Amino acid sequence: MGKIYLIRHGETDANRTFQFQGHIDNPLNSKGLRQAAALGKYYENIELDAVYSSSMQRARQTATPLAQFHGVDLQPLDELKEVSFGDWEGLSYDEIKAKWGYQLELFFKQPAQCRMPGGESFDDVAKRVQAAYNMIIEANSGKNIAIVSHGGVVRVQLCLLLGLDINKLWMFGVHNASTTCIGRWQDRFTIEYVNDTHYLHDHVNSDGIKFPK
């Protein structure tokens, strides 16, 4: 039985200011880098056979400590990039609502069908994520895998794994640097836990390094 760890990247400045970043290739901010370090420290005691990530900078920065500790190559994939928000990228919720109010409402009610102006729908994302997922599973049968990506992509992966309508994706909370664990037995999948961030809470590890919230 292998386990699949779905991990969202650490915080960026756009996350902090609630901007839609999508395909804008933002790096982690200082808090995000600390989150990536805490994530890496936590995973020292978890067996990982392979580490994949979105090809975007914020995901690769989050995944790097995991790959380095376990002595495996980080494998970035374009198919795991965040949904493209098109003309919404770089804008806040309020700015988008003022110009695209109806589409923004549809974005939350029917995300599978809502195609952002100049961007993608979550149905588009599901197609490329499914292709990446099929390749990853085929290459790592029975192994423990970490897949570091984005909030939208993790939600889509959960819907695909559990056979849910993509329009249900907002049912899942996915915080920065969180882990969602899926158990796999043959072709069956079970959720072991969702959106775990306990390792990001205030603590001092054995090296005396404090990782703030």
Side-chain angles (χ1 to χ4, degrees):
M1 178 176 178
K3 292 184 179 179
I4 304 166
Y5 299 95
L6 304 179
I7 301 167
R8 185 184 177 191
H9 64 78
E11 186 184 272
T12 67
D13 284 342
N15 292 141
R16 184 176 55 81
T17 56
F18 302 103
Q19 291 177 315
F20 284 51
Q21 54 189 336
H23 281 192
I24 297 175
D25 200 14
N26 290 321
L28 299 181
N29 62 18
S30 58
K31 180 178 179 180
L33 290 170
R34 293 195 298 271
Q35 289 173 332
L39 183 75
K41 188 69 179 176
Y42 173 65
Y43 271 84
E44 287 181 0
N45 298 314
I46 296 176
E47 180 183 353
L48 289 178
D49 300 297
V51 179
Y52 293 84
S53 81
S54 157
S55 58
M56 304 197 76
Q57 183 176 191
R58 56 191 182 270
R60 289 186 285 107
Q61 285 180 303
T62 305
T64 294
L66 304 180
Q68 288 180 338
F69 178 81
H70 291 280
V72 298
D73 292 332
L74 175 60
Q75 302 180 65
L77 298 173
D78 288 339
E79 292 85 353
L80 296 175
K81 292 170 70 171
E82 180 62 294
V83 58
S84 170
F85 291 112
D87 296 343
W88 295 2
E89 293 187 352
L91 302 180
S92 68
Y93 174 88
D94 288 340
E95 289 172 322
I96 296 167
K97 185 178 180 180
K99 188 173 180 180
W100 294 280
Y102 172 76
Q103 282 179 288
L104 187 61
E105 184 178 355
L106 190 65
F107 172 74
F108 289 108
K109 289 184 176 180
Q110 292 182 286
Q113 289 76 42
C114 176
R115 184 183 302 278
M116 277 67 77
E120 294 179 294
S121 71
F122 278 101
D123 264 350
D124 297 327
V125 177
K127 290 174 185 175
R128 57 178 168 84
V129 168
Q130 183 70 71
Y133 174 76
N134 289 344
M135 181 277 293
I136 291 170
I137 293 300
E138 184 177 346
N140 297 278
S141 178
K143 296 181 180 179
N144 292 337
I145 310 160
I147 304 175
V148 183
S149 61
H150 308 267
V153 172
V154 172
R155 291 178 173 94
V156 167
Q157 285 176 310
L158 280 169
C159 289
L160 292 173
L161 286 170
L162 299 175
L164 298 176
D165 188 323
I166 298 299
N167 285 317
K168 302 292 186 183
L169 64 85
W170 298 121
M171 293 173 59
F172 300 106
V174 183
H175 296 158
N176 286 119
S178 66
T179 295
T180 293
C181 180
I182 306 293
R184 179 172 180 251
W185 175 254
Q186 297 180 349
D187 292 326
R188 299 184 183 91
F189 299 95
T190 57
I191 295 179
E192 299 206 359
Y193 51 85
V194 176
N195 198 32
D196 180 25
T197 59
H198 80 274
Y199 43 83
L200 302 181
H201 297 171
D202 283 346
H203 69 282
V204 177
N205 67 17
S206 59
D207 298 319
I209 301 173
K210 187 173 183 180
F211 296 109
K213 292 182 181 177

